[in-house]
Amino acid sequence: MEAILLGSAAGGGVPQWNCRCTICRLAWTRDPRVRWRTQSSLAVSTDGARWVVINASPDLRQQIADTPELTPHEGLRHSPITSVVLSNGDVDHVAGLLTLRERQPLALYASEAVLGLIEANPIFRVLDQALVTRRAVRLGDPFVPLDGMTVTLFAVPGKVPLWQEGVATAGGTDGSTVGLDISAGGRRIVSIPGCAAVDSAVLARLEGADVLFFDGTLWHDDELMAEGVGVKTGLRMGHISMAGERGSIAALRDVAVARRVFVHINNTNPVLIDGSPEHREAERAGWEIGYDGWRASL
Ligand code: MLT
Ligand code: MN
Ligand code: ZN
């Protein structure tokens, strides 16, 4: 199985268009310690020719342009991307669907809760129903997006998208936020770009994975407030933070995964500064800090 991390940042990217927080300022001034990062997306393949894109970020066009494996290279109209799977309905995970218009056959897989959001929003009709087949997936039921690849969606603690708050009341573990358990050729990748808490069901899913991609939004729960760029805690946003006794680094310490990679990293998170104490602490705990173009061949 092949994996390419197309985008390693949370909503907004690094730097975010209107932000001058500590890390965005470093990025704007091209400080070599802070890589620019696009918004959250991952591509997986069994043969390097056909790819499943996990989450369609607003930066998808740039991500395709930056990734030779994903550019068209046959006939008049072509894409190596054969399907898209969504892990939630957040803007940073669905807005890129609009980039995939222009009559390209695709399959779109998501939980009923997430697909329902797409169906309810008429702008997504630009993806012609006759060509882009919507497939509502039941949690726990494996599906086959590519020959030789099996994907199972499982609920993780989370919440409805920001833009649905006050409209929908659902949240928790109803399928509005899911993780993906991806198997091919005897290898397993687990991708959980958004997660509010590590419970026993999440832990059980990770066991034995070759690669884990995990929600790395924040270092500290109150980081947005401390930087003066927001009033919400991580938990309020549906994201567990990395640090502390209740953080993801501690919660996942004993789980048996070969490689663990933080993704969906917010521009306030000090792990984004290469060599920072937080970056070094995460690496000492066995974590890789995901970056755009990170690749693995399993
Ligand atoms: C999140 O991950 O919490 C969302 O992407 C936030 C947002 O939609 O801006
Ligand atoms: Mn997000
Ligand atoms: Zn910022």
Side-chain angles (χ1 to χ4, degrees), residues 19-28 34 227 229 267-268 273:
C19 192
R20 283 177 36 81
C21 73
T22 307
I23 290 164
C24 287
R25 276 206 314 271
L26 290 171
W28 289 125
V34 176
E227 268 288 334
V229 295
N267 54 67
T268 50
I273 306 175

Side-chain angles (χ1 to χ4, degrees), residues 27-51:
W28 289 125
T29 57
R30 302 279 176 178
D31 188 292
R33 292 170 299 167
V34 176
R35 290 180 196 243
W36 284 41
R37 285 172 162 86
T38 62
Q39 295 165 82
S40 180
S41 183
L42 173 70
V44 291
S45 177
T46 50
D47 58 6
R50 290 164 308 155
W51 292 83

Side-chain angles (χ1 to χ4, degrees), residues 11 90-92 162 237 239 264:
D90 279 342
V91 169
D92 57 347
L162 184 57
M237 297 188 295
H239 298 292
H264 191 280

